[in-house]
């Protein structure tokens, strides 16, 4: 959609991207897009289909015939297959432990980036992920990079009931050759180790509103 606005939020796991992103989207009347959920959905379908994750050509072949489509509700855009979002299944430890092996595959990233750009056909979005400000929408003037200390992020994951060792996934995400996790040069970097999600999200909202006034958007 012409003139749609993109707010890009990147950061490692448990940095508050999802919570702040949903809050911002709600306040602005934009749709939220959780791009991690898109990588997770594809990973879950690969596991379900018995694809050998270690064999990139098998994964890419499966992606070519994967019948996923973008679906929108009033508050988000997400991937569904056959009318199902697999929202619960994609949070399993099995998917969490596998997704960072699938996400570095170049053909997977190309497909995801193209599909994420297509989300704009539904209007303005708040999109969170790892490479939104650097690769998916590098031209947007609204970019945030959220972070928090390793200890705080591990505690948040534990509180959510996850048994996953996120340090290993973060290491893979940050050191992969294609689109590694890093702040865009013009991103507002926020360390929220000692802030509540509400305070972080309010700060982000004030920043977006000031920037919109400044740019006339
Ligand atoms: O945000 P999340 O923890 O649900 O993301 C799951 C994985 O998906 C993450 O470890 C790396 C990958 N990912 C990515 O490579 N690029 C994105 N824009 C979003 C997620």
């Amino acid at each position: 959609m012409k003139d749609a606005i993109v707010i890009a939020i990147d950061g490692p796991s448990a940095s508050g991207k999802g919570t702040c992103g949903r809050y911002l989207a709600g306040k602005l009347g934009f749709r939220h897009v959780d791009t991690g959920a898109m990588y997770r959905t594809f990973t879950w379908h690969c596991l379900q289909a018995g694809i050998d994750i270690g064999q990139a050509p098998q994964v890419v072949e499966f992606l070519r015939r994967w019948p996923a489509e973008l679906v929108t509700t009033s508050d988000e855009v997400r991937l569904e297959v056959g009318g199902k979002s697999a929202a619960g299944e994609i949070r399993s430890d099995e998917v969490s432990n596998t997704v960072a092996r699938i996400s570095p595959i170049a053909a997977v990233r190309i497909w995801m980036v193209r599909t994420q750009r297509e989300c704009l056909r539904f209007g303005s979005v708040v999109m969170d992920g790892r490479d939104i400000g650097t690769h998916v929408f590098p031209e947007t003037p609204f970019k945030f990079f959220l972070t928090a200390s390793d200890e705080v992020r591990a505690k948040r994951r534990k509180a959510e009931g996850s048994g996953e060792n996120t340090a290993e996934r973060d290491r893979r995400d940050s050191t992969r050759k294609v689109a590694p996790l890093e702040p865009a040069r013009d991103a507002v970097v926020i360390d929220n180790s000692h802030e509540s999600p509400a305070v972080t999200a309010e700060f982000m909202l004030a920043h977006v509103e000031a920037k919109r006034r400044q740019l006339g958007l």
Side-chain angles (χ1 to χ4, degrees), residues 17 35-36 39-40 91 99 103 109 129-132 169 173 176:
K17 305 184 299 286
T35 62
Y39 285 90
R40 286 172 179 272
R91 302 289 155 197
V99 62
S103 55
R109 299 211 71 82
R130 303 291 190 289
D131 62 340
I132 311 307
R169 182 150 62 90
D173 290 343
R176 70 181 175 218

Side-chain angles (χ1 to χ4, degrees), residues 9-14 17-18 34-40 43 90-91 95-96 98-104 109 112-113 116 127-132 136 157 164 166 169-170 172-173 176 178-181:
I9 309 179
D10 291 305
S13 56
K17 305 184 299 286
D34 174 354
T35 62
M38 296 171 79
Y39 285 90
R40 286 172 179 272
T43 301
I90 63 173
R91 302 289 155 197
V95 170
S96 298
T98 313
V99 62
R101 292 170 60 206
I102 287 200
S103 55
R109 299 211 71 82
M112 290 289 171
V113 169
Q116 287 154 13
M127 188 173 283
D128 75 59
R130 303 291 190 289
D131 62 340
I132 311 307
V136 185
R157 275 287 182 242
E164 188 206 1
T166 48
R169 182 150 62 90
D170 290 336
R172 279 177 185 263
D173 290 343
R176 70 181 175 218
V178 199
L181 170 65

